[in-house]
Amino acid sequence: MKGYLPVIAAFVLGVLAEYVNYLITRKALAGKGNAHAIIPLRTLVTGGFIALLFLCGRAFGLELGPLLIAGAAGATAGLIVFTLILLRKKGGENDG
């Protein structure tokens, strides 16, 4: 289980990184401003997460391949789930 714990943590942290992106996007879509301006910020959050995962993996001497794959898989799963939530909420507003 000791070898799996960092991989599981990387997956969960990937989902949490996408939750942060979800909050940023939801806030931008709720306002009257330009929602396209958040794209660089979302990229920095995701890229920063992957870079931080890499640096922590190196610092703790962990095997980087499974760690980065799990982090990317978590971010992808989170992106799918939170995008579907945003689309469902946005679709409900337009049906009204």
Side-chain angles (χ1 to χ4, degrees):
M1 185 64 181
K2 185 178 180 183
Y4 293 112
L5 190 59
V7 174
I8 293 168
F11 183 88
V12 171
L13 289 173
V15 173
L16 289 176
E18 289 306 318
Y19 180 70
V20 169
N21 277 337
Y22 163 74
L23 294 175
I24 292 168
T25 305
R26 188 180 70 180
K27 181 79 171 172
L29 291 176
K32 302 277 187 203
N34 188 0
H36 298 292
I38 63 165
I39 293 172
L41 181 58
R42 288 176 47 91
T43 302
L44 285 175
V45 169
T46 305
F49 160 69
I50 294 294
L52 189 62
L53 193 60
F54 173 79
L55 293 174
C56 288
R58 294 276 311 253
F60 291 111
L62 301 171
E63 194 173 341
L64 293 177
L67 193 68
L68 292 174
I69 290 170
T76 302
L79 178 64
I80 292 168
V81 169
F82 296 124
T83 300
L84 290 174
I85 291 170
L86 280 173
L87 288 174
R88 186 175 57 212
K89 287 183 180 182
K90 201 67 170 161
E93 291 174 6
N94 292 338
D95 292 340

